[in-house]
Amino acid sequence: MSSVPPKPSSARRPSGRAGAAAGTAFGESIIRLEALQKTYVLGEENIVRALDGVDLTIHAGSFVAIMGPSGSGKSTMLNILGCLDRPTAGRYFLGTEDVSRMSDDALSEVRGRRIGFIFQSYNLIAQLTVLENIQVPLFYRGQDIKTSRDRCVELAKLVGLGDRLTHRPSQLSGGQQQRVAIARSLVNDPLMILADEPTGNLDSKTGTEVLGLISRLNQDGKTIVLVTHDDKVAERAQRVVRMKDGRIDRDEQRAPNATAAPAR
Amino acid sequence: MIPYQFLITVRLGFKSLKLHKLRSALTMLGIIFGVCSVIAMLAIGEGASYEAQEAIKRLGSNNILIRSLKPPEQARQQGAGSRRGFQIKYGLTYDDAGRLLGTIPGVSRVLPMRIIRENVRFQRTEIPCQVIGTLPFYPEVAGATLVRGRFLAYYDEEHMENVCVITTGLARQLFPYQDPLNHAIKIATFYYRVIGIVQERSQPEQRSQAGKMEGQPLDNNVYIPLNTSRTRFGEILFRRSAGSFEAEEVQLHQVTVQMRDLASVETADPQIRTLLGRFHEDNDYEIIVPLQLLRQAEQTKRIFNIVLGSIAAISLLVGGIGIMNIMLATVTERTREIGIRRALGAKKADITMQFLVETVVLAVGGGLVGVAVGIITPVLVSHLTTMKTIVTLWSVLLAFGISGAVGVIFGLYPAKAAADLDPIEALRHE
Ligand SMILES: Nc1ncnc2c1ncn2[C@@H]1O[C@H](COP(=O)(O)OP(=O)(O)OP(=O)(O)O)[C@@H](O)[C@H]1O
Ligand SMILES: [Mg+2]
C-alpha cells in the first residue's frame, strides 16, 4: 500500500540542513511506521481504533500533507510521530531508532532535539515574551540561553517579528503568534517539523503567509509533515496521505514541480 | 540540573508568582504567620524563662533561703485577744540559725538577717530603706560586691558599732554631691557612720513587695551589724497598718544557708524541714531552694517550648496546606503550559522542579517576611510591656528552615501531579 518514495533531484535543493544535522542523509527515510495501531479502551464494549495498522515511510526533506475526514486518526498519528504519544502496537522508527518503546525521559529528549511542533492553537506560553518563547526548547536541552540569543533573534527576524521580541503572546495577532511558534519549532534545528492544522485558526490571507513560511522551510531542506483539511494547503505538498478510519486510504505523489516553489 | 538552569527556573517561578500577586501574597500569609509565631513565641518564652532563671540565680544556687512568715490569720487570732494593738511572736530565731549550722551536713555558712523598714536621713534627704542587720560575710553569701570602703567587720559586731554600709543606689540618692564615706546618716533615732558602698545582686522577691507595692526602690539597703540592729531596734517591732497597729516579735527575718556544693543542697532541704519543724509549731517560715526553682523553671520552659512549638507547627501546617491548595489550583490552571513544555522537550523532572521551585519560592518568601516580622514583634512586645524577649538565632534558623521544608513537602505533591500529566491530555486542556 505504501508508495515508492520519490527520488527528488538533490540538485534542486540546497544542502539538507535538517538531515545533515541529525546524521540522516537527504532522501533517506527518517520515519518508518510498521503496522502501527492505537486503540483507546473506553469501556468493555467500547473500543476506539484510532489507528488501525498504518504503514508509512517518510523521507528526509519531503513535505507530506495528511488529509482525511474528522476522526480519521490524523492527529493521533501526528502525536505518535511527534513522540507525544506511544502506539498500542506496531513499530515506529525515527531515523534508525525504534522509539515506540522508549522511556518517557528518552521521548522528551527526542521531542526536544529532533522534532519541531506547530499547533493549530499556537500554544505559546503566556507569561513569556516572544524571545523567551523561542528559547524554551533550548532551555530544556540545557543550553545557555544567553549564548544562543543571537540565533533566536535571527529566527524571530526570519518569521518577520524582529521588532516584537519583548511582546507577550497576548499582544500579538493570531498570525504573528503562529510565526513565533514556527520560529520556536526551528530553534532546535529539528529533524522534522510536525504541524497539526497550522492554518486552521487563521484567515485565508494570513494562512497563506504562514504556509509560505512553512514551504520555504521545506525548500531549505526541512522535512515537514502537515495535517490539514484544506486542499489549497495540501497543494503545497509533494505528497498527500489520505486517511480514513485509522488507515491510510490513498497516498498521492505530486510531480516535484507541482510544489508552488518560486525559482531560487 | 545545572545551576544556570536552576536560576532560570527560580526566575520563572518569580515570574509566574508575579502574575497573580494577590493570590501569591495571600498564600504567603499563612507561612508568614507561622514563621512569625514560631520566632515571636520562642522569643517571649526564652525571655520569660531567662528572667526567671536570672532571678533564681541571683538568689544563689548554692543557697537555701529560709524566711520568716507571719503565720496564717487563725493562728494570729488565737495568739492575741483583741483586734487592736496586739503583739505576735513568730519567725526564725537565733537558736534556729545555730542549730542549722550545727546539725545539717554540708553547710558552709549560715547568714542571719534582720530586715527592718525604716527611713534613712542625711541632712534634708529622707529615703525609705530596708535596714538589714547582718554578719560580715554577707557579701560572700548574697553575692554583693564592695564598691568602696569596707564591709562590716567582726569588730563592729562585737562592739555594736554604729556603722553602716549602703548600696550604690542609695548612695546616689542620699549623697548626690558628696562622698558618702565617713558621713553619718540617721536611721530612726541613731546616727550611723557610712564605712562602705556595695553593689547588690538585686533580689526580685523584694522587688515585687517593696518595689511595686510600696513604691520603694529595690536597691535601697543599709547594712548594719546584727548586734547593733538587735540592740538599737530591739526584738519587738511596731508596725502601723490601716489605722491599727501591731507589734511583732521577730528575731530573724531571713536565714540564708550556704551549702558547700550543689549536691548537698538537695539532701539538706528535707533535713532543714525536719529540723525546723521540730521547733516551730506554726508554719511561720518558708524555705526557698533556688536550685529547685531553677530546675522547675527549666522544666516549665521545656513544656512551654513544646506547647508553643506545637501551636507554631500547626500554624505552619495550615500555611503549608494553603500553599498546596493554591499550587494544585495553579497546576490545573496551567495544564496547557505543562503540555507545551513537555512537547518542547521538558522531562517529568523538569516540570516537577519548576513547580517545586515555585512552591519553595512562595514558602521561603513567606519565611523571610515571617522572620522579619517575627524579629520585630518581640521587640515591640518588650517595648510595650515589661516582658523581656530574646530572639535566639536557632529559633530564626528553625523557623526559616521549616518554611523551606514546608515548601518542599507541600510542593512535592502538586509538582508530581503536574509532571505526571499526560502530555497530550495536557495539550488538549482548555
Ligand atoms: N484520548 C482519547 N480517548 C478516546 N478516544 C480518542 C482519544 N483521542 C482520540 N480518540 C479517538 O480517536 C479517533 C481519532 O481521533 P483524531 O483526533 O486522531 O482525529 P482527527 O483525524 O485528528 O480528527 P480532526 O480532523 O477532527 O482533528 C477519534 O474517533 C477520537 O474519538
Ligand atoms: Mg485533529
Side-chain angles (χ1 to χ4, degrees):
Chain A
M1 57 170 292
S2 77
S3 62
V4 180
K7 293 275 188 241
S9 61
S10 24
R12 203 180 64 79
R13 289 165 197 281
S15 65
R17 235 184 355 153
T24 315
F26 183 81
E28 244 175 55
S29 79
I30 54 168
I31 290 177
R32 197 148 50 85
L33 304 183
E34 289 177 1
L36 201 74
Q37 291 192 5
K38 181 73 186 180
T39 29
Y40 293 103
V41 181
L42 301 176
E44 263 181 49
E45 310 258 299
N46 190 359
I47 295 171
V48 179
R49 297 186 187 281
L51 291 179
D52 196 9
V54 172
D55 298 280
L56 184 70
T57 307
I58 293 174
H59 297 272
S62 58
F63 186 164
V64 180
I66 297 174
M67 297 191 74
S70 191
S72 56
K74 306 182 293 295
S75 297
T76 308
M77 188 166 86
L78 206 70
N79 287 338
I80 292 176
L81 289 182
C83 298
L84 280 168
D85 208 354
R86 269 184 270 213
T88 317
R91 310 235 277 170
Y92 169 20
F93 291 94
L94 181 65
T96 53
E97 285 171 276
D98 184 359
V99 295
S100 42
R101 301 283 175 267
M102 272 190 179
S103 73
D104 193 84
D105 278 359
L107 288 180
S108 294
E109 191 96 349
V110 170
R111 288 196 295 268
R113 287 170 188 273
R114 304 218 230 156
I115 296 167
F117 288 98
I118 304 172
F119 302 94
Q120 178 175 357
S121 47
Y122 329 127
N123 278 346
L124 301 180
I125 297 172
Q127 65 262 41
L128 303 183
T129 63
V130 166
L131 187 63
E132 287 167 338
N133 262 293
I134 297 174
Q135 289 171 327
V136 170
L138 295 179
F139 174 68
Y140 290 118
R141 275 174 78 155
Q143 272 193 20
D144 191 334
I145 286 171
K146 279 182 205 129
T147 61
S148 55
R149 197 192 133 93
D150 288 346
R151 177 167 156 67
C152 296
V153 172
E154 211 171 286
L155 283 171
K157 282 182 185 151
L158 179 78
V159 298
L161 290 171
D163 53 343
R164 302 287 174 122
L165 295 177
T166 56
H167 287 218
R168 310 256 156 190
S170 57
Q171 298 163 330
L172 299 177
S173 74
Q176 286 168 332
Q177 290 190 48
Q178 196 61 300
R179 286 154 187 272
V180 177
I182 292 171
R184 182 179 67 185
S185 75
L186 288 171
V187 77
N188 275 337
D189 200 4
L191 201 57
M192 59 175 175
I193 289 177
L194 304 179
D196 196 345
E197 303 186 42
T199 57
N201 285 7
L202 302 173
D203 64 63
S204 63
K205 185 170 166 289
T206 326
T208 313
E209 276 170 29
V210 165
L211 209 60
L213 206 51
I214 293 175
S215 338
R216 214 162 68 228
L217 297 179
N218 175 245
Q219 282 147 32
D220 289 349
K222 281 270 179 278
T223 311
I224 290 171
V225 181
L226 178 148
V227 170
T228 186
H229 286 287
D230 189 342
D231 285 321
K232 283 213 196 75
V233 172
E235 269 171 23
R236 303 254 185 171
Q238 302 139 10
R239 182 179 170 193
V240 178
V241 176
R242 291 187 190 277
M243 297 192 66
K244 200 179 169 186
D245 301 332
R247 292 166 182 274
I248 293 181
D249 188 37
R250 270 188 293 159
D251 193 345
E252 302 164 1
Q253 294 292 326
R254 289 166 189 275
N257 54 5
T259 43
R264 292 171 59 93
Chain B
M1 212 183 238
I2 57 170
Y4 172 76
Q5 260 184 315
F6 184 73
L7 278 182
I8 300 265
T9 311
V10 172
R11 231 184 57 193
L12 186 75
F14 274 107
K15 237 178 200 177
S16 307
L17 293 175
K18 264 203 296 199
L19 228 54
H20 303 279
K21 288 199 189 72
L22 180 65
R23 184 207 275 184
S24 303
L26 288 175
T27 311
M28 273 198 225
L29 218 51
I31 294 291
I32 293 175
F33 283 142
V35 167
C36 167
S37 65
V38 170
I39 295 175
M41 282 183 181
L42 288 178
I44 291 166
E46 195 73 29
S49 78
Y50 175 82
E51 269 197 330
Q53 295 194 12
E54 279 305 296
I56 292 161
K57 274 182 197 153
R58 259 182 258 127
L59 296 177
S61 45
N62 267 15
N63 292 348
I64 295 173
L65 276 66
I66 309 162
R67 290 202 176 130
S68 295
L69 270 190
K70 200 180 282 185
E73 197 72 17
Q74 314 92 296
R76 272 167 61 192
Q77 299 291 358
Q78 284 167 9
S82 71
R83 190 79 185 80
R84 243 168 191 281
F86 57 87
Q87 179 184 334
I88 54 165
K89 185 180 173 192
Y90 68 89
L92 300 161
T93 61
Y94 298 103
D95 288 346
D96 287 332
R99 283 187 210 110
L100 285 168
L101 186 60
T103 49
I104 307 294
V107 171
S108 75
R109 281 188 273 221
V110 172
L111 177 74
M113 289 162 83
R114 285 170 56 80
I115 303 170
I116 295 154
R117 294 238 172 77
E118 201 57 73
N119 285 357
V120 174
R121 286 182 64 174
F122 176 71
Q123 291 172 349
R124 248 161 289 161
T125 323
E126 184 164 349
I127 292 168
C129 285
Q130 291 191 105
V131 179
I132 301 174
T134 190
L135 293 178
F137 54 86
Y138 172 86
E140 287 94 314
V141 175
T145 45
L146 194 66
V147 178
R148 302 211 39 209
R150 64 173 178 87
F151 200 75
L152 307 170
Y154 283 102
Y155 176 89
D156 306 320
E157 185 64 33
E158 279 162 30
H159 296 269
M160 290 177 240
E161 290 287 334
N162 278 4
V163 291
C164 69
V165 173
I166 59 178
T167 51
T168 47
L170 183 62
R172 230 174 289 128
Q173 293 172 71
L174 270 187
F175 301 94
Y177 309 114
Q178 289 123 308
D179 180 359
L181 289 191
N182 290 322
H183 281 289
I185 57 175
K186 191 179 181 192
I187 307 172
T189 48
F190 297 94
Y191 285 92
Y192 299 79
R193 189 165 55 90
V194 178
I195 55 167
I197 302 172
V198 288
Q199 173 77 56
E200 268 289 30
R201 189 169 65 176
S202 54
Q203 298 195 351
E205 306 283 315
Q206 291 167 5
R207 167 195 261 179
S208 59
Q209 289 168 6
K212 274 188 185 155
M213 287 164 69
E214 295 178 21
Q216 182 180 350
L218 152 75
D219 203 20
N220 291 347
N221 289 347
V222 179
Y223 299 96
I224 58 174
L226 184 62
N227 263 337
T228 311
S229 164
R230 226 171 140 177
T231 46
R232 298 282 179 258
F233 292 93
E235 308 289 14
I236 298 167
L237 303 167
F238 292 95
R239 179 192 285 188
R240 259 176 306 246
S241 59
S244 71
F245 78 92
E246 52 187 50
E248 308 178 340
E249 186 183 344
V250 181
Q251 292 188 356
L252 291 173
H253 294 88
Q254 182 178 321
V255 172
T256 304
V257 182
Q258 189 182 43
M259 305 303 295
R260 256 181 229 121
D261 46 45
L262 287 179
S264 49
V265 171
E266 311 230 24
T267 52
D269 173 37
Q271 291 169 342
I272 290 173
R273 279 176 207 281
T274 10
L275 177 69
L276 292 179
R278 216 176 291 154
F279 295 95
H280 291 256
E281 277 173 24
D282 296 336
N283 213 3
D284 58 354
Y285 59 90
E286 63 172 343
I287 300 179
I288 299 163
V289 187
L291 185 67
Q292 280 175 4
L293 294 180
L294 196 66
R295 297 246 163 91
Q296 276 167 17
E298 275 162 6
Q299 178 69 21
T300 312
K301 181 191 160 187
R302 221 167 294 138
I303 294 169
F304 198 59
N305 275 354
I306 289 171
V307 172
L308 290 184
S310 318
I311 293 172
I314 289 170
S315 66
L316 274 172
L317 184 77
V318 171
I321 291 171
I323 283 194
M324 180 148 109
N325 199 3
I326 284 298
M327 287 313 290
L328 281 173
T330 303
V331 167
T332 310
E333 195 183 84
R334 286 161 62 188
T335 301
R336 188 69 171 267
E337 178 194 329
I338 294 163
I340 297 169
R341 288 180 179 279
R342 293 282 274 139
L344 299 180
K347 299 189 174 78
K348 282 188 174 183
D350 294 322
I351 301 295
T352 309
M353 189 52 90
Q354 183 190 339
F355 283 91
L356 200 56
V357 163
E358 209 172 303
T359 321
V360 171
V361 164
L362 257 184
V364 168
L368 281 176
V369 179
V371 164
V373 180
I375 289 174
I376 293 168
T377 310
V379 174
L380 281 181
V381 165
S382 33
H383 258 279
L384 298 176
T385 68
T386 55
M387 245 189 278
K388 187 180 174 62
T389 57
I390 299 171
V391 177
T392 54
L393 181 66
W394 72 267
S395 74
V396 172
L397 293 181
L398 177 82
F400 190 64
I402 289 177
S403 75
V406 161
V408 172
I409 291 166
F410 290 92
L412 217 48
Y413 178 72
K416 198 92 188 62
D420 284 342
L421 286 173
D422 182 52
I424 297 188
E425 300 285 330
L427 270 172
R428 233 185 255 148
H429 194 264
E430 276 315 307

